[in-house]
Amino acid sequence: MPFRLALPWAARPSRQGVEVAPARRSIGFLLIFALANAGGVIAYLPLLSLLLPMKIEAVAGDARIALFTATVIAGAIAASLSNILFGWLSDRSVARGGGRRRWMAIGIVATVLSFACVVIASSPAAIILAIIFFQAAVNALLAPLLAIMADEIPDAQKGVAGGLLSFANPVASAVSAILVSMSALDEASRYAIVSLAIVACAIPLLLVRARPVPAPTEAHTATVMLRRDLAIVWGARLLVQVAGNVLSLYLLYYFESIAPDQPPLTMASRVGHLLTIAFIIPLPIAVLLGRLSDRLDRRKPFLLGMAMLAALGLVIMALASDWTVAAAGFGLYAVGSAVFLALHSGFSMQLLPNPSHRGRDLGLLNLTNTLPALLGPLLTWSLATPRDFDTLMLVLAGLALCGGLAILAVRGRG
């Protein structure tokens, strides 16, 4: 069925005057949700990838690595716990008729306040506390946001909706690049721009009235199976995400091991351009495969195929001896991993066993995004050296492949 361009707030009133969710959501609503998700990513990506390292370097100087590590670990723990907490609180709001959007609004306000705390932080302890506050605040926004996707987008459209989520990273990366390139801006101005971008992206979704999709009625045995399936997809995503975390932190060091004769600034520039390309290429692929998986009502073959592609890219990176081959391997990995994660988001939402606990369950699933921040560095420290990443890449390839194969054990919806 072709896309229908319709007003996202067009709904069918019931006899009682309450909006009834349509069988399919309009492309307009899907785009509004994708825009809000981009706002959520803008809330954390510029800070964690660029602004926080700059802040820590200014405060800690030569001790920046230790402070950055401590800050990241503290933030990962806060993010893990707060995402579960605010997912559960938004579940309670839904049960009481309040909805999840109020928690999104609270999260936006709290995130802006946390930015102010980061700006005024002038000591290592103050920075760590500010980031803990930030992680709690931004997860008050993100936890109900993703639960809205589970609530209000039908299963038959979760593939394309998941594909649209992949637009968030390149948009947030572009914001990061703009912030850094505008050298005349001071620290407070950069955070003000990020705050405005978050609000602009989130407002359209906040203004659209909630219209939950009726939840399917499950027998007890089916609910037990969904819980088992959700545990499987949790493990599968965790395995794939470990590789993503390692490469996000150590990619520059990997390429320096491949081409040690390149000057550091030249290598950093080349890696930066490669990352830009790697962010963009998966976008149309994720949307097209998401749409195709919706039409075929099958997710597992696409997820397995993308995990295999990611694993192949990592094997090529392990065997590469020059920049061109290594960059091609990373490109294959980036496409496979990005599309896998995009489609996985929609697939996992189909397996949530209880509509009353979607926010909490998605918070538990979010641990697959935060735990790799603790596992990845340990794995790298154990298996890699500054001049040899081959063993590490092969292990990561094995983990990614196991993640894809694990999807085949899912027996529930999708």
Side-chain angles (χ1 to χ4, degrees), residues 245-269:
N245 175 266
V246 168
L247 291 179
S248 69
L249 294 175
Y250 300 97
L251 186 63
L252 177 61
Y253 297 155
Y254 163 79
F255 277 107
E256 287 177 344
S257 74
I258 296 295
D261 56 328
Q262 290 286 324
L265 289 178
T266 301
M267 180 59 71
S269 176

Side-chain angles (χ1 to χ4, degrees), residues 46-48 50-56 68 71 127 131 191:
L47 170 61
L48 298 180
L50 291 175
L51 300 181
L52 179 61
M54 292 167 60
K55 176 78 174 186
I56 287 178
F68 184 75
T71 304
I127 290 176
I131 293 303
Y191 284 104

Side-chain angles (χ1 to χ4, degrees), residues 290-309:
R291 178 61 172 164
L292 183 59
S293 72
D294 285 339
R295 292 178 64 88
L296 297 177
D297 195 23
R298 299 189 69 188
R299 315 285 189 202
K300 292 188 287 187
F302 298 97
L303 288 166
L304 175 59
M306 290 301 101
M308 293 175 65
L309 183 63

